[in-house]
Amino acid sequence: MRPNIVSEAGLQTRLGQWWESIPFLTSAVVFVCGIIYFVCLLVGYDSFLEVCFLPSAVVSHFQVYRIYTSILFHGSLLHVLFNMMALVPLGSELERIMGSVRLSYLIILLATSNALFHIVIALLAAYNPFRSYEYFMNECAIGFSGILFSMIVIETTLSGVQSRSVFGLFNVPAKWYAWILLIVFQLLMSNVSLLGHLCGILSGFAYTYGLFNFLMPGPTFYSSIEASSLLASCVRRPKFILCTGGNPSSFIPTHSSQSTTSSGLFSGNVWRNLSSWMPQRETSSQSTEDSRFPGRGRTLSGVQNQTAAAGNLDSNLQARLLDNSDTQHPPNTARTVTGQQLSEGRRAAENAATIPAGAPARHQDSVASEEQIQKLVAMGFERTQVEVAIAAAEGDLTVAVEILMSQQG
């Protein structure tokens, strides 16, 4: 019997495959942060007071560069390893959805908003009329963890899971995952920046509820950057993910991205909005197939497998459109699809939806509930497209969002 080449691959080969699976920007951030730490280690540089985020220095001396240098420097080997290992899954998932250029803009935006939140809270603590607390003004914060907390909030918004595991020890509701991590880190490590992590969570929620939408440029902005000669060598790299095919609104769908006059954060019952901000799905019927949407943005290995998955998805979508046209229109309505075309579409769907032996069977007769439809409509998508996407995704809201985003742009 032919040996299993994948299982017998060496450590170097597996590390190479793992590194190649990381998208361009995420791997670039990991590389830059790692190089900066090891260069500082080799030359003996430990004057982090010059590059850390220090609110008193930013306010009094206007040292704005600290906002961005502080996220690239790390204080210890465990610090940089832990942050980068956490960045790989979070950054990779968001980069595949948003694109490399758009995610880089988001990181800069989150770094800036984190710093502004940090300064405002530090000033309120130091100069409030009740009790002055100047510790936060002189706190020196470095590391990428503030951005990571923002990414956790944003990624959890799209994940659709109902619970998250904290270091494999216990599960917590997904909506409280970032807050639980904040408390756990403060209890386990005394030298972490409470205010830095807290501001990251606040920035993540601000972005999720659309408070930064006015700062997000249109798709032509990202297209012009991708077409510039300065990034030509980067765009040609196989790991670079273009922004084409994504959400034309240039941000992940949020509650306030719908065309209404009221904001999802401030209208109606605030507690109801906060408790229902995350999409829900059944966790018992998870698919083993690749759930990332097809398109030019996916650059992980297996181009042929990606093409086949895209063909299956299109066939399923067309067949379900045919099925929906049969059930939604009354008998007295003029039909545009003949019985022969409907049968051929169903047979094509059955042939395209065949899966390998050993894979779990998916539920083929999933019906979109009104609650699921309303959640995606609240994200800014049209109801008709939402119904078709949920049907094609077989009730999986995460896949439905990716289908809708891949159809736009």
Side-chain angles (χ1 to χ4, degrees), residues 9 13 78 95 97-98 109 212 228 239 252 267 332 375:
T13 302
L78 289 178
E95 187 171 355
I97 295 176
M98 307 178 69
L109 176 63
F212 294 157
S228 64
K239 299 202 301 180
I252 294 179
S267 63
N332 56 354
K375 286 181 179 179

Side-chain angles (χ1 to χ4, degrees), residues 5-315:
I5 300 177
V6 177
S7 62
E8 295 181 359
L11 178 60
Q12 183 177 1
T13 302
R14 294 186 180 184
L15 286 177
Q17 293 174 349
W18 172 77
W19 180 254
E20 289 300 323
S21 68
I22 304 175
F24 177 79
L25 180 65
T26 304
S27 60
V29 174
V30 173
F31 180 79
V32 170
C33 290
I35 289 297
I36 289 177
Y37 173 76
F38 283 109
V39 169
C40 294
L41 190 65
L42 291 176
V43 301
Y45 180 84
D46 58 356
S47 300
F48 297 120
L49 191 63
E50 301 175 354
V51 295
C52 69
F53 182 76
L54 191 62
S56 60
V58 175
V59 173
S60 59
H61 302 289
F62 202 67
Q63 296 178 353
V64 184
Y65 68 89
R66 293 177 178 270
I67 298 176
Y68 309 104
T69 57
S70 61
I71 65 176
L72 300 177
F73 285 81
H74 293 80
S76 65
L77 180 61
L78 289 178
H79 189 196
V80 66
L81 282 178
F82 190 87
N83 281 353
M84 295 303 102
M85 292 302 295
L87 172 65
V88 168
L90 287 171
S92 299
E93 184 68 19
L94 292 178
E95 187 171 355
R96 294 185 187 105
I97 295 176
M98 307 178 69
S100 300
V101 175
R102 188 179 298 172
L103 181 61
S104 63
Y105 180 85
L106 176 62
I107 290 177
I108 296 174
L109 176 63
L110 292 176
T112 306
S113 61
N114 289 357
L116 293 178
F117 279 125
H118 199 136
I119 291 175
V120 170
I121 296 177
L123 289 174
L124 291 176
Y127 299 103
N128 67 85
F130 305 102
R131 181 178 180 181
S132 179
Y133 192 71
E134 298 183 358
Y135 171 77
F136 291 132
M137 287 295 296
N138 299 316
E139 181 186 46
C140 184
I142 58 173
F144 205 79
S145 55
I147 306 295
L148 291 176
F149 270 87
S150 299
M151 287 184 171
I152 289 173
V153 175
I154 297 172
E155 191 273 337
T156 303
T157 305
L158 291 180
S159 65
V161 297
Q162 299 180 2
S163 63
R164 283 288 176 86
S165 175
V166 179
F167 305 123
L169 300 177
F170 56 92
N171 293 332
V172 297
K175 64 184 68 177
W176 302 111
Y177 180 62
W179 300 104
I180 298 298
L181 286 181
L182 176 68
I183 298 174
V184 169
F185 282 134
Q186 288 301 130
L187 295 177
L188 296 180
M189 294 171 282
S190 59
N191 59 341
V192 298
S193 175
L194 171 63
L195 192 54
H197 294 171
L198 175 62
C199 294
I201 295 177
L202 295 179
S203 294
F205 277 110
Y207 176 85
T208 300
Y209 280 97
L211 300 183
F212 294 157
N213 288 353
F214 70 98
L215 297 174
M216 304 301 294
T220 56
F221 172 79
Y222 305 111
S223 301
S224 62
I225 293 179
E226 293 171 345
S228 64
S229 58
L230 297 177
L231 292 181
S233 59
C234 297
V235 173
R236 287 195 297 266
R237 293 184 176 273
K239 299 202 301 180
F240 191 92
I241 299 180
L242 297 176
C243 297
T244 56
N247 183 17
S249 302
S250 305
F251 48 84
I252 294 179
T254 61
H255 280 280
S256 59
S257 62
Q258 54 184 329
S259 56
T260 57
T261 57
S262 61
S263 172
L265 181 61
F266 300 104
S267 63
N269 190 325
V270 177
W271 175 253
R272 183 179 66 250
N273 292 331
L274 290 176
S275 61
S276 62
W277 63 278
M278 189 189 332
Q280 303 292 331
R281 69 174 181 182
E282 295 181 0
T283 57
S284 60
S285 58
Q286 295 180 350
S287 172
T288 59
E289 298 178 353
D290 191 356
S291 61
R292 295 181 293 274
F293 59 90
R296 191 173 180 181
R298 289 198 312 157
T299 57
L300 296 182
S301 60
V303 178
Q304 296 180 353
N305 294 335
Q306 294 176 4
T307 306
N312 292 341
L313 182 60
D314 294 338
S315 300

Side-chain angles (χ1 to χ4, degrees), residues 260-384:
T260 57
T261 57
S262 61
S263 172
L265 181 61
F266 300 104
S267 63
N269 190 325
V270 177
W271 175 253
R272 183 179 66 250
N273 292 331
L274 290 176
S275 61
S276 62
W277 63 278
M278 189 189 332
Q280 303 292 331
R281 69 174 181 182
E282 295 181 0
T283 57
S284 60
S285 58
Q286 295 180 350
S287 172
T288 59
E289 298 178 353
D290 191 356
S291 61
R292 295 181 293 274
F293 59 90
R296 191 173 180 181
R298 289 198 312 157
T299 57
L300 296 182
S301 60
V303 178
Q304 296 180 353
N305 294 335
Q306 294 176 4
T307 306
N312 292 341
L313 182 60
D314 294 338
S315 300
N316 286 331
L317 183 58
Q318 294 173 3
R320 291 180 183 281
L321 279 171
L322 294 174
D323 292 339
N324 291 339
S325 65
D326 183 56
T327 57
Q328 291 178 358
H329 294 283
N332 56 354
T333 304
R335 301 172 183 239
T336 60
V337 181
T338 64
Q340 181 179 2
Q341 292 176 332
L342 182 60
S343 300
E344 293 176 355
R346 287 175 176 171
R347 287 196 298 268
E350 293 175 356
N351 295 332
T354 57
I355 58 178
R362 297 175 65 98
H363 185 58
Q364 299 295 332
D365 299 325
S366 300
V367 180
S369 65
E370 184 65 24
E371 181 182 2
Q372 291 176 322
I373 295 175
Q374 290 300 328
K375 286 181 179 179
L376 292 187
V377 170
M379 291 181 178
F381 300 113
E382 296 182 1
R383 182 182 180 89
T384 304

